[in-house]
Amino acid sequence: MFRCNVIQGLRIWKSYTFSAVSVALKRKPQASRLLFTMVDSQYYLPNDIGISALDCTEAFRLLSPREQLYAHYLSRSAWYGGLAVLLQTSPESASIFVLLQRLFRKQPPAQLGNVATAAGLSPEEYQAFLVYAAGLYANMGNYKSFGDTKFIPNLPKENLKALVWQSQAFQDSPSEMEALWDSCSTLLYSLEDKQKQLGLGDKGITTYFSGNCCLEDAELAQKFLDSKNLSAYNTRLFKKKSEGKSCYEVRLASAVQEGETNPNSGEYNFEDRVFTVSRGDYDHLMKKVSENLEKAKDHAANENQKRMLEEYSRSFTFGSVEAHKEGSRFWIKDKGPIVESYIGFIESYRDPFGSRGEFEGFVAVVNKAMSERFAKLVSSAEVLLPELPWPKDFEKDRFLLPDFTSLDVLTFAGSGIPAGINIPNYDDIRQSEGFKNVSLGNVLAVAYATQKDKLTFLDEEDKDVYIKWKGPSFEVQVGLHELLGHGSGKLFVQDEKGTFNFEQDNVCNPETGEKITTWYKGNETWDSKFSTISCSYEECRAECVGLYLCLNKHVLRSVNPSECINEEVVYVNWLNMVRAGLLGLEFYTSESKSWRQAHMQARFVILRVLLEAGEGLVTLKESTGKDGCPDALITLDRSKIHTVGKGAIERFLCKLQVLKSTADVEGGRALYEGYSAVSDGGSHNFLCLRETVLQRKEARKMFVQANTRVKGDSVELVEYEGSATGLICSFTERFADDAEEVEAHLLELNKRDAPCWTLESV
């Protein structure tokens, strides 16, 4: 213990940036107070962070003029809606965004660089500012989309202020720029404990709830929403006191506050509290979204696309999740479109309670060659589902063959870009009507490229194999994860009429041998029932399905007919998973004992399961690296994957599914939170290993996306270099036509809610 504590101190010291120190040494004595201003490296983005351009040139060129116009207006809709993420992330994100936009609209990065030099910034400091700006654009806020950790500029605050004050934007509008700086500069740099990460109550920052809300408020609000058959996906919750009584506003995202009759709008008494359901959240942005969806409809390829866009537009105009669900039904029916898209309040990873969706919208073009390979996997799905390790009663009554396509992304608006998606997330539609799977090919091509010298925690032989087979293995894992992971498993439900969707008297729990005693009732959903663990638990289940089914030779033949090659794919898939479990410790906050990223928590859980399996399947040892700093080595015995490994995943996966199917929240929490625990006890000191992981972590890549521009009857694709400058330019040009209007609306929306983020919210 003493050794670990000493090493932890060394690690923590080495993980700080000394940019402020070096700056102070170069300056006059009055700057010496900066000498001890050190920032933990996890709270800034390194100057050499990887930034890649997403290439979609050829895919876009092959579209017809009509398809290009369809893609253009869908992209515009997505980009406008994506701005809502700024308001969903933190109180200061929107103001920082506007500050950056005004700086770079007046002076592009090269010109502003001259101002920075005149203001006394070093080249490293100006690069740090560009990287920060690029990071804010890429994450749509000042918290990392993958890990929910805050990041701040890696240069002194007074130096950034000097740059702002000498900029052309400030010279043109000094009072406005000073007010903008004053509104966000304190929080821009603040690293108070609560502000270091997203979370609810004293665990972090969230704008899904007013600042005076806690977990009990979230639970009460969910009960109220369930009682009114209202989804939380497009809502936020605001709490205030009136005459000593707690009053809550459930605000729906919509372009209008009045209009179409909403049977749930109004005021309600619920459990001695007052709930008001209102509309108009992000109203200006939702109006822009709907307007561009209407324009896209004029270029739709078929009736399903038209009906889909009509319902989406109605959803964003009036705040109706039911309309979005109806649009999703038409989307599912739109099989094999050339231009694929989806838009809305989709993923609930960043809601601390796990029920509210973050806005995202994507537009992509089908990669036909890769899609044919995924089609083979889809055709095998009905054969593979019975191979999963749970009784047939726990599987869907009917598997509806979905679309599974590989796409080249043109636009992905939101806080981050995933490798694959399985949507829609509505349980009732997924269970009985179907879903779609997409793999984002041009994202995979650049996101997971790895250099050997940056590949951590593996021996040299494993590094070579890993680099060679990471691409094919990840392709297999993404396919199985999305199609048969998220696409499998039944939820036992008793509807409002009392009808069960399973044979209550005949179905038994395979873990206990007893009859089923718990299930979902009425309007309960997976998200509402399992709330805070639902996202990570489901990702863990899907990852386990991928690991389990990749051992099936039928699956692997769809990738490559060669047996020896497929064994390498299996090995690297499992090796990647256990390494990812170790890397996942970066996303654990030891102070609050909480996880900040659903997928990485899931992978850590899987690592724990495979270590527990024993028999030398996985070994994890602390060591000292060639640089003299603490290191670690993880190894996997490939000869035991099909025996010890398969057995461990089989048992664990069955438990996960049974607990999910039966709505056994208590059992599910006990199982999942037990494996999620990070401690310094037992055979592995994970708290100590976490410090090693933090010291050797590599920053996640950022992506530069193209813009589209209508020129006469055609659409022009505007591309940018893969750099911080390219990413910044893509955003300043993205809203060039109505920049002042958009920025004014963002500031208005931000100002309207500003009083809500204090603990004493009124």
Side-chain angles (χ1 to χ4, degrees):
M1 277 300 294
F2 175 74
R3 172 183 169 275
C4 184
N5 287 338
V6 172
I7 290 176
Q8 283 181 355
L10 176 65
R11 287 170 177 152
I12 292 170
W13 175 262
K14 287 196 171 186
S15 69
Y16 283 78
T17 173
F18 290 83
S19 63
V21 177
S22 62
V23 169
L25 291 174
K26 289 187 285 185
R27 296 179 185 274
K28 303 288 184 182
Q30 62 263 30
S32 62
R33 60 190 175 83
L34 295 173
L35 279 169
F36 297 100
T37 303
M38 296 183 296
V39 177
D40 189 334
S41 64
Q42 68 177 311
Y43 300 113
Y44 73 88
L45 305 175
N47 279 10
D48 62 351
I49 190 171
I51 303 177
S52 300
L54 285 183
D55 181 20
C56 60
T57 310
E58 185 65 11
F60 189 78
R61 185 186 67 81
L62 293 174
L63 296 178
S64 69
R66 180 172 183 167
E67 290 165 345
Q68 289 183 350
L69 284 165
Y70 182 66
H72 167 75
Y73 288 115
L74 287 175
S75 293
R76 298 309 301 158
S77 186
W79 286 124
Y80 283 120
L83 294 173
V85 178
L86 295 163
L87 302 163
Q88 291 181 300
T89 299
S90 71
E92 65 273 15
S93 287
S95 296
I96 299 171
F97 176 87
V98 174
L99 177 71
L100 295 174
Q101 288 290 84
R102 291 186 177 176
L103 287 172
F104 291 117
R105 279 199 294 111
K106 290 290 184 179
Q107 294 171 292
Q111 288 184 21
L112 195 61
N114 297 328
V115 177
T117 301
L121 276 70
S122 70
E124 293 78 16
E125 287 175 330
Y126 184 60
Q127 178 62 20
F129 168 63
L130 294 181
V131 166
Y132 175 80
L136 186 120
Y137 289 133
N139 292 277
M140 269 290 95
N142 60 336
Y143 287 76
K144 297 175 187 175
S145 65
F146 200 85
D148 293 343
T149 304
K150 189 173 186 177
F151 59 96
I152 67 173
N154 190 19
L155 71 159
K157 182 178 179 180
E158 52 264 46
N159 291 10
L160 178 53
K161 181 178 180 179
L163 172 61
V164 172
W165 254 244
Q166 293 194 32
S167 69
Q168 189 62 51
F170 190 91
Q171 303 309 311
D172 291 348
S173 306
S175 58
E176 289 183 25
M177 289 296 288
E178 184 171 2
L180 196 51
W181 171 265
D182 290 342
S183 72
C184 66
S185 58
T186 299
L187 288 175
L188 190 151
Y189 272 92
S190 175
L191 282 177
E192 293 182 11
D193 286 346
K194 182 177 176 179
Q195 291 165 353
K196 288 180 179 179
Q197 65 281 315
L198 299 179
L200 183 58
D202 59 2
K203 291 193 174 182
I205 294 297
T206 180
T207 50
Y208 286 105
F209 299 86
S210 56
N212 55 356
C213 284
C214 61
L215 181 60
E216 288 73 21
D217 296 305
E219 291 172 339
L220 178 65
Q222 188 62 58
K223 289 172 65 178
F224 167 75
L225 291 170
D226 288 343
S227 75
K228 296 299 178 186
N229 195 23
L230 268 175
S231 170
Y233 271 120
N234 66 341
T235 72
R236 293 196 290 172
L237 185 70
F238 300 88
K239 176 185 175 182
K240 63 181 180 180
K241 292 282 188 180
S242 178
E243 298 179 357
K245 182 181 289 188
S246 293
C247 301
Y248 299 90
E249 178 192 3
V250 175
R251 192 187 301 165
L252 312 180
S254 69
V256 300
Q257 296 184 9
E258 302 298 336
E260 183 182 83
T261 301
N262 186 332
N264 290 304
S265 292
E267 189 175 290
Y268 304 89
N269 285 302
F270 183 80
E271 295 194 5
D272 199 33
R273 278 85 158 187
V274 177
F275 278 83
T276 301
V277 179
S278 66
R279 291 184 287 182
D281 215 1
Y282 326 117
D283 50 358
H284 299 298
L285 300 178
M286 294 301 101
K287 182 180 179 182
K288 292 277 190 182
V289 172
S290 295
E291 288 173 349
N292 281 278
L293 289 176
E294 290 296 330
K295 292 177 181 178
K297 192 174 70 172
D298 293 337
H299 307 284
N302 54 55
E303 193 62 25
N304 277 326
Q305 288 183 359
K306 290 179 181 178
R307 296 290 302 278
M308 170 188 79
L309 295 178
E310 286 173 359
E311 294 297 335
Y312 288 165
S313 180
R314 189 163 69 88
S315 171
F316 301 128
T317 300
F318 299 109
S320 169
V321 170
E322 287 304 314
H324 193 269
K325 291 172 74 171
E326 193 63 24
S328 297
R329 291 184 172 98
F330 287 111
W331 179 70
I332 293 168
K333 294 174 184 176
D334 186 29
K335 301 288 187 182
I338 300 300
V339 177
E340 183 62 281
S341 68
Y342 198 64
I343 189 169
F345 295 89
I346 311 300
E347 302 294 352
S348 56
Y349 300 123
R350 300 183 95 187
D351 169 16
F353 191 67
S355 295
R356 289 153 188 81
E358 183 176 78
F359 193 97
E360 70 178 42
F362 76 83
V363 184
V365 183
V366 172
N367 180 320
K368 293 183 179 179
M370 187 65 72
S371 296
E372 287 176 4
R373 294 167 70 175
F374 283 130
K376 294 179 182 177
L377 190 59
V378 172
S379 66
S380 305
E382 291 180 289
V383 176
L384 294 172
L385 279 172
E387 299 293 319
L388 290 170
W390 50 74
K392 65 178 182 179
D393 290 319
F394 287 75
E395 191 48 69
K396 293 175 181 175
D397 300 329
R398 185 166 62 101
F399 184 76
L400 300 165
L401 292 179
D403 255 11
F404 197 163
T405 49
S406 177
L407 305 174
D408 286 339
V409 171
L410 169 65
T411 294
F412 205 110
S415 66
I417 308 178
I421 316 170
N422 176 283
I423 39 183
N425 287 333
Y426 304 118
D427 290 339
D428 51 344
I429 294 179
R430 295 170 61 81
Q431 290 281 317
S432 59
E433 298 177 59
F435 52 89
K436 283 187 182 182
N437 299 275
V438 297
S439 174
L440 305 180
N442 58 344
V443 176
L444 286 170
V446 296
Y448 299 97
T450 308
Q451 296 177 344
K452 187 174 180 178
D453 61 338
K454 292 187 176 182
L455 193 54
T456 53
F457 310 129
L458 298 178
D459 64 29
E460 293 303 307
E461 184 178 347
D462 274 343
K463 286 181 180 180
D464 292 330
V465 177
Y466 184 96
I467 289 171
K468 184 175 182 179
W469 297 108
K470 172 69 183 298
S473 72
F474 198 70
E475 180 186 311
V476 170
Q477 181 67 12
V478 168
L480 293 171
H481 174 114
E482 300 297 346
L483 175 65
L484 296 170
H486 292 314
S488 64
K490 181 175 181 175
L491 302 183
F492 293 158
V493 178
Q494 181 185 21
D495 65 22
E496 293 172 324
K497 297 179 181 178
T499 304
F500 291 89
N501 70 340
F502 66 101
E503 296 183 12
Q504 188 185 10
D505 294 330
N506 297 325
V507 178
C508 291
N509 185 323
E511 297 293 312
T512 64
E514 299 174 355
K515 291 183 179 180
I516 304 301
T517 58
T518 56
W519 48 81
Y520 299 85
K521 298 176 181 178
N523 297 315
E524 292 178 341
T525 66
W526 162 249
D527 284 339
S528 69
K529 195 74 175 172
F530 281 71
S531 63
T532 55
I533 67 166
S534 62
C535 292
S536 185
Y537 188 112
E538 174 59 13
E539 294 303 332
C540 185
R541 194 184 69 87
E543 292 283 47
C544 286
V545 168
L547 287 180
Y548 188 74
L549 288 181
C550 82
L551 303 177
N552 187 297
K553 292 182 179 180
H554 188 85
V555 170
L556 294 173
R557 288 194 195 102
S558 67
V559 179
N560 198 297
S562 170
E563 287 285 334
C564 60
I565 287 177
N566 286 336
E567 283 305 309
E568 296 300 303
V569 169
V570 168
Y571 177 65
V572 171
N573 193 31
W574 279 63
L575 180 66
N576 180 54
M577 188 62 68
V578 295
R579 176 177 178 263
L582 178 59
L583 296 179
L585 288 168
E586 175 190 344
F587 303 95
Y588 177 77
T589 301
S590 55
E591 293 81 3
S592 61
K593 297 183 179 180
S594 61
W595 285 89
R596 307 187 311 275
Q597 215 293 319
H599 299 78
M600 299 311 284
Q601 178 183 0
R603 292 158 188 163
F604 176 77
V605 166
I606 292 171
L607 171 62
R608 290 281 310 276
V609 169
L610 295 178
L611 284 168
E612 185 184 81
E615 299 187 45
L617 172 68
V618 177
T619 58
L620 174 59
K621 297 179 180 178
E622 294 184 63
S623 63
T624 301
K626 293 179 181 179
D627 56 4
C629 294
D631 207 341
L633 179 67
I634 193 162
T635 58
L636 172 70
D637 187 338
R638 68 166 70 212
S639 70
K640 295 177 180 177
I641 293 174
H642 286 268
T643 53
V644 180
K646 182 179 180 181
I649 292 297
E650 182 177 278
R651 292 186 294 273
F652 184 62
L653 183 52
C654 184
K655 289 179 182 177
L656 289 175
Q657 181 57 50
V658 168
L659 293 166
K660 179 182 178 182
S661 290
T662 59
D664 185 351
V665 179
E666 184 178 342
R669 282 194 178 278
L671 176 72
Y672 200 68
E673 291 176 350
Y675 279 107
S676 297
V678 178
S679 71
D680 56 3
S683 55
H684 298 93
N685 188 333
F686 286 114
L687 284 175
C688 207
L689 284 164
R690 174 180 175 269
E691 299 300 334
T692 300
V693 170
L694 284 172
Q695 183 182 359
R696 297 186 178 276
K697 69 183 178 69
E698 182 180 2
R700 193 171 176 84
K701 286 183 180 178
M702 299 190 290
F703 300 110
V704 182
Q705 299 182 58
N707 285 320
T708 54
R709 185 183 301 152
V710 175
K711 279 200 166 185
D713 296 329
S714 62
V715 180
E716 177 186 19
L717 184 72
V718 184
E719 297 183 281
Y720 306 86
E721 66 180 33
S723 66
T725 294
L727 210 163
I728 290 165
C729 290
S730 73
F731 266 89
T732 53
E733 294 182 16
R734 190 155 285 146
F735 304 100
D737 294 340
D738 54 1
E740 292 185 3
E741 177 194 348
V742 168
E743 291 164 14
H745 287 330
L746 277 173
L747 293 178
E748 179 186 336
L749 292 169
N750 206 40
K751 183 179 179 180
R752 182 174 72 187
D753 293 334
C756 299
W757 312 129
T758 65
L759 288 174
E760 298 79 24
S761 304
V762 294

